[in-house]
Amino acid sequence: MFWRTIPRAVNLAALSSILLLLVKLFIFNKISEPVDGFHELGLVFEAVLASVLASYVFYLIVVHFNEVREKETIYPFVTRWANLVVRDCKTQIAGFSKVDPIKLDFQTLVKQNIEDVFARLEPNGNAPLTSWQGGQADWLQYFENYRIRSSRNINKIMAQLIFLEAPLVALLMEVQDSKHFSNIEIFSRVRLDNNNLMTFADDFFEYVQACRELDGYLKTHAIHSAND
């Protein structure tokens, strides 16, 4: 696992230097000098290869080992924050069942399921969440609460960008840059006269799909929370 985290080009350069140095020491050094100056040139070549190997060892001990150690230290936190993003999505879906008889499953729901539920929910109706002012939050405030929570956790993860794998970053950005998050951030501040939430159904389903992809990545790469 340690070696697989080293850039391929670095390993390739080190391996090539070792092979060339061995060829120089055990083959070329035994051949008589064909032209004056080849011996001195060989010494320079040997010094260059030795310098490359010394740099590789320095990189392993001083740079890469430290990066691996730091990554192992930070990834339990990254794991926890990423799983909280997924859990926020699951919690919202579970919240629908408190006001609607249809129970949705995070892993198997389809867009039609979301449309059926959103068709029966009023934007200004009471959601299963108490607002910070002490009253009952409406559905747009409900979505906004979880958007803020998830964005905070994503921002915590992104602050550790140098330790993150590119696929994980892409999946997190897919959640944070979702149309659902963008629209809720805007419309949660106004009072809508709509009779239902159908306007938000498509975007919410895309957000769910993004969270499912993130959840799948976390499980596949064995960094899924044991408590989730």
Side-chain angles (χ1 to χ4, degrees):
M1 186 66 178
F2 177 84
W3 301 106
R4 280 190 286 176
T5 59
I6 301 173
R8 184 177 180 182
V10 175
N11 280 330
L12 188 59
L15 180 61
S16 299
S17 297
I18 292 173
L19 292 176
L20 289 173
L21 187 58
L22 291 175
V23 170
K24 165 68 171 59
L25 293 174
F26 294 102
I27 298 179
F28 290 160
N29 281 4
K30 296 180 179 180
I31 300 175
S32 302
E33 185 178 17
V35 180
D36 289 343
F38 262 52
H39 177 69
E40 289 73 14
L41 183 62
L43 292 177
V44 172
F45 182 65
E46 189 175 313
V48 170
L49 294 177
S51 176
V52 171
L53 291 177
S55 298
Y56 179 72
V57 172
F58 176 84
Y59 169 78
L60 289 182
I61 297 175
V62 178
V63 180
H64 187 67
F65 179 76
N66 191 50
E67 287 179 350
V68 171
R69 185 174 57 184
E70 289 179 349
K71 185 174 181 178
E72 290 177 348
T73 300
I74 197 62
Y75 245 82
F77 297 98
V78 170
T79 298
R80 179 174 178 272
W81 296 328
N83 278 288
L84 286 175
V85 172
V86 175
R87 188 173 299 177
D88 282 342
C89 182
K90 292 180 179 180
T91 301
Q92 291 174 79
I93 293 172
F96 299 148
S97 64
K98 296 181 180 179
V99 294
D100 191 280
I102 297 178
K103 289 189 177 182
L104 304 180
D105 179 74
F106 171 74
Q107 295 292 352
T108 61
L109 67 84
V110 295
K111 186 166 72 171
Q112 185 63 50
N113 298 141
I114 296 295
E115 292 175 347
D116 291 342
V117 172
F118 277 37
R120 288 189 283 272
L121 298 180
E122 296 182 11
N124 303 313
N126 290 337
L129 176 71
T130 302
S131 70
W132 65 272
Q133 297 173 324
Q136 198 74 12
D138 62 35
W139 283 104
L140 296 182
Q141 292 169 337
Y142 176 79
F143 293 140
E144 174 66 357
N145 171 72
Y146 287 103
R147 182 196 70 80
I148 292 174
R149 283 165 50 105
S150 294
S151 292
R152 284 175 179 170
N153 284 317
I154 291 174
N155 290 337
K156 289 178 185 177
I157 296 172
M158 297 308 295
Q160 313 302 325
L161 184 61
I162 61 173
F163 304 113
L164 303 180
E165 302 293 336
L168 177 59
V169 173
L171 292 170
L172 289 168
M173 289 298 94
E174 189 175 351
V175 174
Q176 189 160 35
D177 293 340
S178 64
K179 290 182 180 179
H180 173 69
F181 273 18
S182 299
N183 289 336
I184 290 303
E185 185 177 11
I186 297 172
F187 290 109
S188 63
R189 294 175 172 80
V190 300
R191 186 175 180 84
L192 299 181
D193 295 327
N194 301 42
N195 294 325
N196 55 53
L197 290 172
M198 282 296 291
T199 304
F200 301 93
D202 287 352
D203 293 341
F204 185 83
F205 181 67
E206 289 180 5
Y207 156 68
V208 172
Q209 287 182 303
C211 288
R212 285 198 292 214
E213 291 177 4
L214 174 60
D215 186 53
Y217 177 87
L218 296 173
K219 289 178 178 177
T220 301
H221 291 75
I223 56 174
H224 200 267
S225 172
N227 298 320
D228 189 38

